[in-house]
Amino acid sequence: MTLQHNNRIRHIRNERLETIKKDYRGNKTIKGRFANGEEVYYPASIDVLRWQLSKNPQRLEKKRDNFVPPVHKGFEFVESEKDMVVWLGHATFFIRLGGVSFLTDPVLYDVPLLPRRAGLPCPPEHLRNIDFLLLSHGHRDHLDKKSIKTVFEHNPQLKALAPLRAGDILRGINPHLPYQEAGWYQKYDLVPGEIEVYFMPASHWYRRGLLDMNKMLWGSFVIKTPTLCLYFAGDSAMGQHFEEIEDLLGPMDVCLMPVGAYKPAFLMAKSHMNPHEAVKAYNLLRGGTFIPMHYGTFDLSDEPPGEPVRLLQQIAAGGMLQGLKIPAIGEPVLLQELP
């Protein structure tokens, strides 16, 4: 890692990896804490308290909304050789491109204090033939230790592609799990063949314990083949990075976009996108197919569970979202069949 000093400001990247943004020195840290671009973001405790003490204006609507994402049972997709995307709930996807399989942000069980509302298509132990974990950040609803232990146990060939300073967590999960850390705009060098994987920006933050605020980086991923670009957004607020990602890596044929956990806006707007913002980001990416995520699986916020899907359908009907596809959990989206 390269550390460039300016009093308490440092710029960090993995010097062994290619950086695709010209003259980018690395991710900025202030007093050891990563920044969103130039400034460190801390969720304000007063906003959390305000949320806990305020009444949800959609409380009754949320209580009456019984939406749960449908689940297609089966695990044939893990044996298939076809290029595909399979949503497994929340931000977890099984992705196969060019014979290489990826699993994003694996959360296959209940999260502490957050039971899963939607099931899996198969037991976690049946998720095999996975080559790489893509870990966007360290929040517990995206990086789950039990899930990673299970996946690695049944996929001994597994390697993790992770953000800067993820190593301590990953070594604590299993010291034998190979991993590579990257900063924003960096290309991992572990992926074989003609497939390229890039770690790209997101507007978010990190915390798992009392004293580790923003000690680990967050981001998004682009998987690029000679014929297709796939974007996995992780968690992100709206920001200028979407336009920059498109400028550096070209139009995104498939966009896996977060659309939930956006109310109340005073608390969530700097962490997550609402459906309208996600569509705006997708259009900045010049996206092809839009596949939503980060909704329906866990109860994280004030909006009714079915609201994100209803809003996306309304936006699509209005002509602002051309490539919407809303698969069930476990339903393969075959990439060769996409327009």
Side-chain angles (χ1 to χ4, degrees), residues 57-334:
Q58 291 181 281
R59 180 177 59 87
L60 291 178
E61 182 184 350
K62 180 177 179 179
K63 185 176 181 180
R64 293 167 181 161
D65 189 335
N66 59 3
F67 172 84
V68 178
V71 179
H72 282 205
K73 292 293 185 179
F75 56 94
E76 294 81 2
F77 62 87
V78 302
E79 304 293 342
S80 173
E81 296 182 356
K82 295 180 179 179
D83 285 357
M84 65 176 67
V85 172
V86 185
W87 186 42
L88 300 178
H90 203 51
T92 307
F93 287 90
F94 175 88
I95 301 167
R96 179 176 289 108
L97 283 173
V100 179
S101 297
F102 303 88
L103 190 69
T104 69
D105 288 1
V107 180
L108 308 172
Y109 304 99
D110 293 343
V111 176
L113 304 179
L114 285 173
R116 280 185 72 108
R117 301 179 64 254
L120 288 167
C122 61
E125 294 78 11
H126 290 180
L127 295 174
R128 299 175 184 265
N129 303 321
I130 299 169
D131 300 301
F132 294 97
L133 289 181
L134 303 185
L135 303 174
S136 70
H137 66 291
H139 279 152
R140 295 178 188 272
D141 63 320
H142 288 256
L143 193 161
D144 176 57
K145 292 183 177 181
K146 182 179 178 182
S147 298
I148 293 176
K149 284 181 180 178
T150 299
V151 173
F152 186 41
E153 179 181 348
H154 296 280
N155 295 271
Q157 75 283 359
L158 191 71
K159 298 179 178 68
L161 305 182
L164 295 174
R165 293 183 178 164
D168 287 346
I169 291 178
L170 295 177
R171 288 190 298 272
I173 293 172
N174 190 313
H176 302 293
L177 172 63
Y179 67 90
Q180 187 171 68
E181 297 181 356
W184 290 355
Y185 311 106
Q186 292 204 289
K187 176 184 174 184
Y188 295 95
D189 65 7
L190 296 181
V191 184
E194 295 183 307
I195 299 178
E196 300 171 351
V197 179
Y198 299 86
F199 195 61
M200 301 301 285
S203 181
H204 202 56
W205 55 286
Y206 166 79
R207 187 175 191 176
R208 285 180 78 93
L210 293 176
L211 303 175
D212 61 355
M213 177 71 75
N214 293 340
K215 290 286 190 176
M216 174 178 154
L217 188 57
W218 51 88
S220 59
F221 287 90
V222 172
I223 308 174
K224 191 176 179 67
T225 76
T227 59
L228 184 140
C229 281
L230 183 147
Y231 176 69
F232 171 70
D235 265 359
S236 184
M238 192 65 204
Q240 64 183 17
H241 56 281
F242 295 107
E243 192 169 4
E244 188 174 37
I245 289 168
E246 190 280 328
D247 184 59
L248 286 168
L249 293 172
M252 295 296 135
D253 300 290
V254 180
C255 296
L256 311 181
M257 303 298 290
V259 300
Y262 51 86
K263 288 182 178 178
F266 68 78
L267 179 66
M268 301 296 188
K270 291 189 176 181
S271 302
H272 302 136
M273 293 182 287
N274 63 41
H276 290 278
E277 291 169 323
V279 171
K280 180 180 179 181
Y282 153 86
N283 285 320
L284 290 173
L285 291 162
R286 289 201 287 161
T289 298
F290 181 112
I291 299 177
M293 64 170 177
H294 207 272
Y295 72 95
T297 310
F298 296 104
D299 183 5
L300 298 171
S301 52
D302 280 358
E303 75 270 6
E307 183 177 278
V309 168
R310 293 193 293 271
L311 289 177
L312 287 174
Q313 291 169 335
Q314 292 171 13
I315 296 168
M320 296 299 294
L321 174 54
Q322 301 296 326
L324 178 62
K325 191 167 186 63
I326 306 176
I329 292 174
E331 176 186 359
V333 177
L334 300 180

